[in-house]
Structures are given as structure tokens and as C-alpha cells.
Amino acid sequence: MEEAKNVSAKSSQDGTEQSGAAATEAVPARTSTRNTGPGRLLIAVYAVFAISATARAAYQILTKFSEAPLAYLLSAFAAVVYIVATVSLARPGRTAFKVSVAAVLVELVGVLVVGALSVFDSVNFPHETVWSLFGRGYGFIPLLLPILGLIWLYRRRPAKGA
């Protein structure tokens, strides 16, 4: 009770008196915690991969596309997936959450499929991509990243009905 009087006295000094309900509405509700704490590190790693995969794909397509067109187009696709994942992980909201889950799942499937194909069908993959050999050229981070991303998204999923 004493606290309410102090708040009223302080706001009347400012000339901007607000009722309790209005003061509560003025504080924005946190709609997403995906981009806080360890989520920032996850987003940063996705951003680094987005930049590196985009640069690698652009270089490969512009300079030696005829040598391995399938591999280089898959590099470009991986770059797009990393860009979408980075942006959607950084944005709040249910739609961004759904896009994040989809992008990270596509990434996981891509790493597994391209990784397996590059092992068993090396003729179509004469040059490495980001996802070749399960991301061996990148320290297997492309294989671990979507797994960590899905765990993070599961733990930070939006509340039902929110």
C-alpha cells in the first residue's frame, strides 16, 4: 500500500500520472527469448556461416561452375538456408519461430543427405561444399549446428495460445 502511494506521488511530480493497469501495459511483454543468452552465440555462428557459405558459393559459381554444378548450387542453397535461419532466429514471434524450425530442419536434412551423397557418390561431388562429408571442411560444425539449434528452439518455444 505504501509503495502505491509512493508511485502515485512520484508520477504526480512528473505530471504524468498513470493508473496501475496503464503502467503495466507500458512495459513491453517479452515475446521471445530465443535471441538472448546462448541464443546470441547461436545466431552469431549462423551469421558467420551465412556469410562464409554465401562468399564460397558466389566464388565457386562465378569462377568454376562447370566443374561441379550440383555441388556449387547446393553451396548456394546452404547459404540461403543459413541466411534464413540467422534472420528468423534473431526475430521475435511465432512466425519467426516456425521459420526458424523449418530452416534448421532443412539444414539438418541437407547436411545428412549431402554428407551421405558426397561419401557414396563422390562423382557428383568432385569439389567440397559446406555440407560435404557432413561438414568435415568446417570441423563438422554444419552437422552439430542444426542439432544444437533444434534443442535451443525446443527449449525456447512459444507458450501455447500466446
Side-chain angles (χ1 to χ4, degrees):
M1 187 70 159
E2 188 69 32
E3 190 175 89
K5 289 179 184 176
N6 290 339
V7 170
S8 294
K10 185 177 180 185
S11 58
S12 63
Q13 288 172 354
D14 296 326
T16 58
E17 191 170 325
Q18 294 180 339
S19 69
T24 304
E25 291 175 16
V27 177
R30 281 180 37 175
T31 58
S32 173
T33 58
R34 290 190 313 275
N35 58 3
T36 60
R40 287 185 183 187
L41 178 61
L42 185 70
I43 293 166
V45 173
Y46 267 103
V48 167
F49 270 82
I51 293 167
S52 65
T54 301
R56 180 179 188 152
Y59 172 77
Q60 290 171 329
I61 289 171
L62 292 173
T63 60
K64 39 189 175 171
F65 182 73
S66 61
E67 294 176 21
L70 177 61
Y72 298 152
L73 289 174
L74 285 171
S75 282
F77 178 71
V80 170
V81 170
Y82 285 124
I83 291 168
V84 170
T86 302
V87 172
S88 63
L89 282 167
R91 296 185 58 108
R94 291 182 81 67
T95 302
F97 174 80
K98 291 175 183 179
V99 171
S100 296
V101 170
V104 174
L105 282 172
V106 167
E107 175 194 3
L108 180 60
V109 170
V111 171
L112 294 174
V113 170
V114 172
L117 286 174
S118 63
V119 169
F120 297 115
D121 187 16
S122 58
V123 173
N124 283 322
F125 295 91
H127 298 274
E128 286 197 14
T129 70
V130 176
W131 294 341
S132 292
L133 303 172
F134 306 103
R136 183 181 72 177
Y138 290 87
F140 297 102
I141 294 173
L143 180 60
L144 296 174
L145 194 58
I147 295 167
L148 294 174
L150 288 171
I151 291 169
W152 180 254
L153 287 167
Y154 178 76
R155 290 185 177 176
R156 300 299 179 160
R157 66 192 180 276
K160 293 187 190 248

